[in-house]
Amino acid sequence: MKHRSPDEYLILKRIIGRAADSTQNLVGHGIRVGMGDDAALFQPKAGHQTILTCDWFLEGTHFLRDKHPPDAVGWKCLARAVSDVAAMGGVPRCFLLSLALPVSHTGRWLDEFLSGLRRAARKFDCALAGGDTTRRREILINVTVVGEVRTARAVLRSGARAGDLLYVSGRLGEAELGLQILRHSKGLGNRTNPLTRKHLYPEPRVALGRWLADARLASSMMDLSDGLSSDLPRLCAASGVGAQVQMSKIPRVRIPKHALVGGIDATRLALHGGDDYELLFAVPPHRLQVVPMSFQGVPLTSIGSITKKREIVLLEDGGRQQQLAAGGWDPFRVTR
Amino acid sequence: MKHRSPDEYLILKRIIGRAADSTQNLVGHGIRVGMGDDAALFQPKAGHQTILTCDWFLEGTHFLRDKHPPDAVGWKCLARAVSDVAAMGGVPRCFLLSLALPVSHTGRWLDEFLSGLRRAARKFDCALAGGDTTRRREILINVTVVGEVRTARAVLRSGARAGDLLYVSGRLGEAELGLQILRHSKGLGNRTNPLTRKHLYPEPRVALGRWLADARLASSMMDLSDGLSSDLPRLCAASGVGAQVQMSKIPRVRIPKHALVGGIDATRLALHGGDDYELLFAVPPHRLQVVPMSFQGVPLTSIGSITKKREIVLLEDGGRQQQLAAGGWDPFRVTR
């Protein structure tokens, strides 16, 4: 990680002190040189491929300064990128943090941000290896995660074949419900509210993704970051297939009576809500017997099947069909 | 590289079409899966360590929309990060591009940006492997470069020892002169002006860095991105040493008579000017005979020596001494 000034050096020292593991641990993660040099040195494991992914996490676009607690910003910026590694069936190893901050946020805000980041780094076993810092009016974050997967075991988006069954982990729409509650409440989000936790502190499905890859159960996989209606078409496009989804089977958020926010509909949340970071994966028919009902407490639900015809059809109870229209996250669509 | 919408998909297609190499070439760079999946898959070379580095390149902070031609923005955002790999003695292999753009810049500006990026990617033999795009009022760029170096051959900042001679490549201050000319001229910078080219299209010293590492000539090395007065103290701090620099020996920019910008002083430019991306390195006394006067046309100049005492002293002709005060780039210093 580079620093560029005495002041920036102090920020870097804070980052190293509060977010980085000890040198001992860095070596355990394959990192030979971390902070304070031009770049980080990483020792890849023999017989493995390296997974590379990066994610924006920008104030105003991905989080709100007055709604998202700083430690949730720290947790989530790493969790999002780790989820991409999980979606390949890999394991995270280390990450680079690019951080642009106003001077006013280099004290307490930064400390709390780093505290959330460190909790996530420990939870996902992913060590801070380097990064870049600069000053900026707005809070800008970019995280690069480096992961590993045994050679030729990565699960791509492109492997789904007609006849495969389509699965999702967890319950969809929970994070979107959390976001809506956050938007309608005053001040910073509440860390302990179980309804907002899934939005603030998502848990990428690393163990599940790795198990599906190791057991060769999934022919195709991705993480649900922008909502099923946006992400399923991408998996199908990458595989050159279509899908039929049974609406009633989609495991969806349970909306408690006291969480009354106007016009909330669990089906809409489950179809179009983003930020769940659950896994969407296809399983070939001859492997179906091996898929359990749940994995480490996370339900695995078959919601439909892969079809040869390149369209995505929603089947409703009573036989009504409709084509799926994307309703998820789209930064370049000017009106949503 | 992820895309998140039909619109974003078009931007991604443009990026793939204009900046990415063919699949054949990606495989040549060790990349097994590039665009369109959750993450990129990279096959590390046996017997090598992976070098990881990332760099911000932000409108208003690192470049100006109305001064920097889009293709220079594309070239420079990659060149800066590649320079960190060169400074370790490594070779770049692939990179991730995180790009946030206003909708108004997804047409011609993006095309020209990608054209400069592609030229740089070819020049540095570094393939686009993935990234993330989003919409934003300002142009935000973050580049992660992945490089490789033979195991245990990386040259760190921390290896300088008292008695080593201190070298720089090239001439210092050329990029800063280019920036000042750019600031004083109207409209977009001129691609062909040799005085601004060093600022707009820097060439990281990849071949030199690799040669110094392979030949085990450098005990310590870094790239000069923020200016000698800012960067030399970092090399010394990392090595726990000091340095004596002979002012008259610093190879400095030649200021042509027609480039009259008020108050320009070649010595100040050479000491404090940023963005040169030359290499600063230390050579142990028993290896001095091996260092040539130039490498592939780039002059290599000894400017002083490493000392035990942890201070940085500038020796002027006539014997006057002064302590070096940092005057380079410092994003968190509010007044410069």
Side-chain angles (χ1 to χ4, degrees):
Chain A
M1 181 173 263
K2 296 167 286 275
H3 67 275
R4 299 216 151 98
S5 68
D7 297 319
E8 204 176 339
Y9 179 69
L10 293 179
I11 291 172
L12 179 65
K13 266 185 68 172
R14 212 179 265 251
I15 293 176
I16 293 173
R18 309 217 179 206
D21 270 314
S22 70
T23 306
Q24 197 59 36
N25 278 347
L26 285 176
V27 171
H29 283 84
I31 299 162
R32 299 292 180 246
V33 178
M35 306 294 158
D37 218 300
D38 295 290
L41 272 184
F42 171 75
Q43 183 68 59
K45 233 186 265 172
H48 286 67
Q49 288 176 309
T50 300
I51 300 173
L52 302 167
T53 184
C54 60
D55 261 319
W56 283 121
F57 202 56
L58 305 173
E59 175 179 1
T61 304
H62 304 100
F63 70 95
L64 302 168
R65 205 190 281 205
D66 58 348
K67 288 292 180 191
H68 289 81
D71 81 311
V73 175
W75 174 284
K76 195 166 177 176
C77 71
L78 181 57
R80 285 157 48 90
V82 164
S83 182
D84 287 322
V85 173
M88 306 284 279
V91 173
R93 294 287 304 277
C94 65
F95 70 102
L96 306 177
L97 170 69
S98 294
L99 188 60
L101 284 182
V103 175
S104 60
H105 280 56
T106 54
R108 188 169 152 194
W109 191 95
L110 178 60
D111 280 351
E112 293 182 20
F113 167 82
L114 292 173
S115 147
L117 184 69
R118 184 179 46 197
R119 281 200 307 119
R122 287 185 178 161
K123 172 86 180 186
F124 311 142
D125 201 21
C126 185
L128 178 60
D132 191 14
T133 61
T134 197
R135 185 159 68 94
R136 191 84 181 170
R137 201 167 24 83
E138 294 172 305
I139 304 169
L140 311 177
I141 302 167
N142 194 280
V143 170
T144 294
V145 169
V146 177
E148 286 190 331
V149 63
R150 280 163 59 196
T151 298
R153 284 295 173 92
V155 184
L156 310 185
R157 290 187 182 177
S158 54
R161 296 294 170 260
D164 290 357
L165 252 69
L166 199 60
Y167 279 81
V168 293
S169 65
R171 295 182 172 282
L172 306 189
E174 289 182 340
E176 183 71 23
L177 176 65
L179 174 61
Q180 297 202 10
I181 290 171
L182 199 67
R183 279 194 172 139
H184 286 82
S185 56
K186 283 181 187 153
L188 281 183
N190 183 338
R191 279 189 53 165
T192 56
N193 181 344
L195 295 177
T196 54
R197 277 196 69 81
K198 176 98 185 201
H199 170 76
L200 294 175
Y201 306 96
E203 303 217 358
R205 303 301 186 194
V206 177
L208 172 62
R210 182 185 196 173
W211 179 73
L212 289 169
D214 278 352
R216 295 184 188 269
L217 277 181
S219 58
S220 173
M221 183 154 65
M222 71 183 293
D223 68 325
L224 290 169
S225 55
D226 300 335
L228 185 66
S229 67
S230 294
D231 289 327
L232 176 56
R234 290 170 197 159
L235 185 143
C236 289
S239 295
V241 298
Q244 279 195 338
V245 174
Q246 288 188 274
M247 290 286 281
S248 62
K249 285 195 173 177
I250 299 174
R252 66 201 71 186
V253 54
R254 289 170 180 151
I255 303 177
K257 281 195 184 133
H258 66 271
L260 287 179
V261 183
I264 278 192
D265 172 61
T267 304
R268 282 188 61 82
L269 292 179
L271 271 178
H272 306 307
D275 268 1
D276 277 324
Y277 301 106
E278 297 292 349
L279 293 178
L280 171 70
F281 56 99
V283 177
H286 67 280
R287 304 291 282 151
L288 289 182
Q289 304 295 337
V290 193
V291 182
M293 300 284 287
S294 70
F295 179 87
Q296 295 181 357
V298 180
L300 306 180
T301 312
S302 165
I303 60 168
S305 57
I306 300 293
T307 59
K308 195 170 170 183
K309 195 169 178 191
R310 292 183 176 213
E311 60 180 20
I312 293 166
V313 177
L314 298 179
L315 302 173
E316 293 181 41
D317 285 349
R320 220 161 64 91
Q321 296 192 0
Q322 59 177 96
Q323 291 259 96
L324 178 65
W329 169 238
D330 172 357
F332 283 101
R333 208 183 301 148
V334 177
T335 54
R336 286 185 70 181
Chain B
M1 181 172 264
K2 296 167 287 275
H3 68 275
R4 298 216 149 97
S5 68
D7 295 319
E8 205 177 337
Y9 179 71
L10 293 179
I11 291 171
L12 179 64
K13 267 186 68 172
R14 210 180 269 250
I15 293 176
I16 294 174
R18 308 220 180 206
D21 269 316
S22 69
T23 306
Q24 197 60 38
N25 279 346
L26 285 177
V27 171
H29 283 83
I31 299 161
R32 298 295 179 240
V33 178
M35 306 294 158
D37 219 299
D38 295 288
L41 272 183
F42 171 75
Q43 184 68 58
K45 233 185 264 172
H48 286 66
Q49 289 175 309
T50 300
I51 300 172
L52 302 167
T53 184
C54 60
D55 261 319
W56 284 120
F57 202 56
L58 304 173
E59 176 179 1
T61 304
H62 304 100
F63 70 95
L64 302 167
R65 206 191 282 205
D66 58 349
K67 289 289 180 192
H68 288 81
D71 81 311
V73 175
W75 174 284
K76 194 167 176 176
C77 72
L78 181 58
R80 284 157 49 90
V82 164
S83 181
D84 287 322
V85 173
M88 306 283 280
V91 174
R93 296 287 305 275
C94 65
F95 70 103
L96 306 177
L97 171 69
S98 294
L99 189 60
L101 284 182
V103 175
S104 60
H105 281 56
T106 55
R108 190 171 151 191
W109 190 95
L110 178 60
D111 280 351
E112 292 182 21
F113 166 83
L114 292 173
S115 146
L117 184 69
R118 184 180 47 198
R119 280 199 308 119
R122 286 185 180 162
K123 172 88 181 185
F124 312 141
D125 201 21
C126 184
L128 178 60
D132 191 14
T133 61
T134 196
R135 185 160 68 93
R136 191 83 181 172
R137 200 168 24 85
E138 293 171 306
I139 304 169
L140 310 177
I141 302 167
N142 193 279
V143 170
T144 294
V145 169
V146 178
E148 286 189 331
V149 62
R150 280 163 60 196
T151 298
R153 285 295 174 93
V155 183
L156 310 186
R157 290 186 183 178
S158 53
R161 297 293 170 259
D164 290 358
L165 252 70
L166 198 59
Y167 279 81
V168 293
S169 65
R171 294 182 173 281
L172 307 189
E174 289 182 340
E176 183 70 24
L177 175 65
L179 174 61
Q180 296 202 11
I181 290 170
L182 199 66
R183 279 195 173 137
H184 286 82
S185 56
K186 284 181 187 151
L188 281 182
N190 184 339
R191 278 190 52 165
T192 55
N193 181 344
L195 296 177
T196 54
R197 277 195 69 81
K198 177 100 185 200
H199 170 77
L200 294 174
Y201 307 95
E203 303 218 357
R205 302 302 185 192
V206 177
L208 173 61
R210 182 186 195 172
W211 179 74
L212 289 169
D214 278 353
R216 295 182 188 269
L217 277 182
S219 57
S220 173
M221 183 155 63
M222 70 183 296
D223 66 326
L224 290 169
S225 55
D226 299 336
L228 186 65
S229 66
S230 295
D231 289 327
L232 176 56
R234 290 170 197 159
L235 185 141
C236 289
S239 294
V241 297
Q244 280 195 337
V245 174
Q246 288 188 272
M247 291 287 282
S248 62
K249 285 194 174 179
I250 299 174
R252 66 202 70 188
V253 54
R254 290 172 180 150
I255 303 177
K257 283 197 184 132
H258 66 273
L260 286 181
V261 183
I264 278 191
D265 172 63
T267 304
R268 282 189 61 82
L269 292 180
L271 271 179
H272 307 306
D275 268 1
D276 276 325
Y277 302 105
E278 296 294 348
L279 293 178
L280 171 69
F281 56 99
V283 177
H286 66 280
R287 304 291 282 150
L288 289 181
Q289 304 297 337
V290 192
V291 182
M293 299 285 288
S294 70
F295 179 87
Q296 294 182 0
V298 180
L300 305 181
T301 312
S302 165
I303 61 169
S305 57
I306 300 293
T307 58
K308 198 171 170 184
K309 193 167 179 192
R310 289 182 177 215
E311 60 179 22
I312 293 167
V313 177
L314 298 180
L315 301 174
E316 293 180 43
D317 286 348
R320 219 161 66 89
Q321 295 191 1
Q322 59 177 97
Q323 291 259 97
L324 178 64
W329 169 238
D330 173 358
F332 283 100
R333 207 183 304 150
V334 177
T335 53
R336 287 185 71 181

